[in-house]
Amino acid sequence: MTDNTVAGAAVGEGKVAAFFDACARDAFDEAVACFAEGGVWSVAEGPEPGTSYRRDEIRAYLVDLVKKREEFGDQGIALVFEPAVVAGDRQIIEFTLRDATGRVLDRGVDLFTLKDGLILVKDVFRKA
């Protein structure tokens, strides 16, 4: 397993890698700029099933995620990403949330769909 924590090495290729890099640096505007105008980020939690964030809502969602990341870090919990599987205009990235002992607390998959080199959809699937 590769240790690609949020602040670690680039994950994915092209705009997906740029997105992860921007997120690791808390560069919210850069992260949002990786999404197409009609881009959407659909997370596993929420009523839809899940909750979808349109491009103009993603920045606020990222700010909330950084707060959670900091809380997790204070508890010795790390988010670890595996190398991307690239298939045409899609990239699949597995992730785990691990405690300080390495025990898996949560795991999931990000499925990115790109169009014209930008992220059109970031779909999150997870198992708690």
Side-chain angles (χ1 to χ4, degrees):
M1 176 181 65
T2 305
D3 184 14
N4 288 330
T5 61
V6 168
V11 177
E13 295 181 358
K15 282 297 177 191
V16 173
F19 169 76
F20 275 95
D21 178 63
C23 289
R25 295 181 288 108
D26 299 342
F28 305 119
D29 293 332
E30 286 180 41
V32 172
C34 294
F35 282 80
E37 282 301 318
V40 64
W41 181 342
S42 294
V43 298
E45 302 86 6
E48 294 181 6
T51 300
S52 295
Y53 298 92
R54 303 278 175 226
R55 188 174 192 260
D56 63 341
E57 301 168 311
I58 291 172
R59 188 182 197 288
Y61 180 63
L62 282 170
V63 170
D64 287 342
L65 283 181
V66 166
K67 291 176 191 172
K68 289 180 186 175
R69 182 179 74 198
E70 290 169 355
E71 290 172 12
F72 285 153
D74 291 344
Q75 299 171 37
I77 297 172
L79 182 58
V80 180
F81 296 96
E82 298 302 323
V85 175
V86 179
D89 64 352
R90 297 212 172 158
Q91 295 186 39
I92 303 163
I93 299 171
E94 294 179 64
F95 63 86
T96 54
L97 196 60
R98 296 173 181 265
D99 69 14
T101 68
R103 182 175 60 103
V104 174
L105 304 172
D106 198 359
R107 63 189 181 95
V109 174
D110 286 340
L111 171 60
F112 290 87
T113 302
L114 291 94
K115 183 176 181 185
D116 299 326
L118 294 171
I119 300 168
L120 183 60
V121 178
K122 179 185 188 294
D123 237 333
V124 181
F125 302 91
R126 58 180 274 274
K127 292 185 104 137

